[in-house]
Amino acid sequence: MDDTGGVCLVTQPHRGQVGKDHAHDLADIIAQITTVTVLTANLPANAAIRDDHDTVEFSSAGTGEFVLVEALRFLLNQLRLCRIITRRDEESILFFGTTSYLLPVLCGRLLGKRVLVLPRGDVPLSLRLRWEQQLPELIARVLAGAVSGLERLDYWLATDVISYTPAMADQLGLERYEEKLHTNGARFVDTERFDVSTPFAERGRTVGFVGRLDVEKRVPALAEAAKQLPEDVTFVFVGDGDYRDHLERKLAAEIEAGVVDVVGWVDRDAVPEQLNRLRLQIVPSHPTEGLPTAILEGMACGTPAYATPVSGVPDVVRDGQTGFLMVDDDGAAIAEEIQQILDRADLEEISERCRETITEEYSFEGAVRRWRGILTGS
């Protein structure tokens, strides 16, 4: 291990998952370089990260469902983190996704610690889209603007700012922190679990979506696209969320006819099998995610993505080479483009390049190498 003085990895409250998540993956990477302690909240008793890493919970509660509750817990969690940080000996604190935690960031700097901030995506936009489901649009925008202001202060205070890829840094406006910006903090993919189990040539004309069925994923546009595809194309939806009922009502006839399959939530171990069903994965995300996991895992399974060019996506989905970029996110336009992509003669070659890209650029060893450079300054 390198002598970097240890890292406190601060993560957002968990959503009840017991398997490995992005924070767990990042802790695994850092543990290859130096000691790591995970500071988190709402961690299930049987969460896998408890067995693999030293963990400290700053709260047993989640973020809350309502805005006022969320705001109160947000403030309390920051105060609790400040108290914990003052008692820790680690020389570095990495805020992973917790990019608006102003008080603990300031506390870390005042204590002379190295403070690293890694956004997972456009948090203010994500919150605004969710808050608009509960509040008038103007109030949601004002609140999201306040979160954005907190983020900018944290980026200014931090000793290091990290993004997954250069395109993500540009999307989030991080170029102003060029002197302390690292644009190579990409994640890794378990290429043994996510592999090509069904040869691409043996897959039918099946396309699909894998992820949360929520407002950030443009599910209504996907439903409209699925309705307009010809009968020889099957659209598979894998995942659960607030929009599942909407999806099943709108596509009831197509589900009955067998040209749409709403699989619902599947266990993590079943995701590779679902990705291996597809000739094309559809990912019409808003720029709320830094680098969608589904894209990386799909490419590891030899499944190209047709995705919106947001955040870090264009650095991985290289149009016509390792996937396809979505210019128009209207349902009819998506359906038309899907058919054109499925008819391409070079789709199998693109599938092969997808797998090669992940094994060469997103392996565990590659991630450790990049993070060692970030943490040691080499």
Side-chain angles (χ1 to χ4, degrees), residues 20 25-26 28-29 186-190 362-364 367 370:
K20 295 190 70 171
D25 286 344
L26 183 51
D28 287 346
I29 294 167
R187 301 192 305 273
F188 81 94
V189 178
D190 185 341
Y362 292 91
S363 66
F364 182 77
R370 289 191 294 272

Side-chain angles (χ1 to χ4, degrees), residues 147-357:
V147 174
S148 179
L150 291 174
E151 280 195 335
R152 287 195 296 271
L153 282 172
D154 278 355
Y155 294 141
W156 178 71
L157 286 168
T159 51
D160 299 83
V161 179
I162 305 164
S163 72
Y164 290 143
T165 74
M168 178 183 173
D170 289 343
Q171 178 89 48
L172 296 178
L174 301 180
E175 66 280 352
R176 70 190 70 176
Y177 311 105
E178 182 179 2
E179 73 285 353
K180 57 183 178 182
L181 177 63
H182 307 267
T183 60
N184 59 345
R187 301 192 305 273
F188 81 94
V189 178
D190 185 341
T191 53
E192 293 185 2
R193 173 184 291 184
F194 292 90
D195 198 356
V196 181
S197 58
T198 301
F200 194 79
E202 297 179 12
R203 304 181 192 183
R205 288 173 66 84
T206 302
V207 304
F209 169 84
V210 180
R212 301 187 312 276
L213 300 175
D214 62 21
V215 66
E216 298 178 28
K217 305 296 186 178
R218 294 190 172 97
V219 175
L222 288 179
E224 186 60 35
K227 286 184 74 71
Q228 298 193 35
L229 288 171
E231 293 183 358
D232 67 333
V233 178
T234 300
F235 204 120
V236 178
F237 291 89
V238 181
D240 209 346
D242 296 339
Y243 275 73
R244 181 171 178 178
D245 289 343
H246 167 87
L247 197 65
E248 292 180 333
R249 287 195 305 270
K250 187 173 182 64
L251 298 176
E254 287 75 17
I255 293 171
E256 179 68 23
V259 294
V260 169
D261 183 10
V262 181
V263 177
W265 182 89
V266 298
D267 186 79
R268 179 76 171 159
D269 292 336
V271 173
E273 177 184 354
Q274 295 296 330
L275 289 168
N276 270 271
R277 297 175 62 183
L278 310 179
R279 290 183 73 84
L280 185 67
Q281 184 181 187
I282 320 299
V283 192
S285 300
H286 286 281
T288 54
E289 294 180 282
L291 189 56
T293 304
I295 289 178
L296 299 178
E297 293 176 346
M299 290 175 65
C301 295
T303 305
Y306 172 41
T308 44
V310 297
S311 294
V313 171
D315 286 320
V316 181
V317 181
R318 296 150 195 159
D319 198 37
Q321 299 297 314
T322 60
F324 308 92
L325 296 177
M326 189 179 296
V327 177
D328 192 338
D329 55 29
D330 172 74
I334 292 174
E336 181 178 353
E337 188 68 19
I338 287 173
Q339 295 175 69
Q340 293 178 8
I341 293 171
L342 291 178
D343 289 338
R344 289 179 64 116
D346 62 347
L347 200 54
E348 188 169 354
E349 296 175 15
I350 292 173
S351 166
E352 293 172 357
R353 284 197 291 270
C354 284
R355 175 67 185 177
E356 291 171 0
T357 297

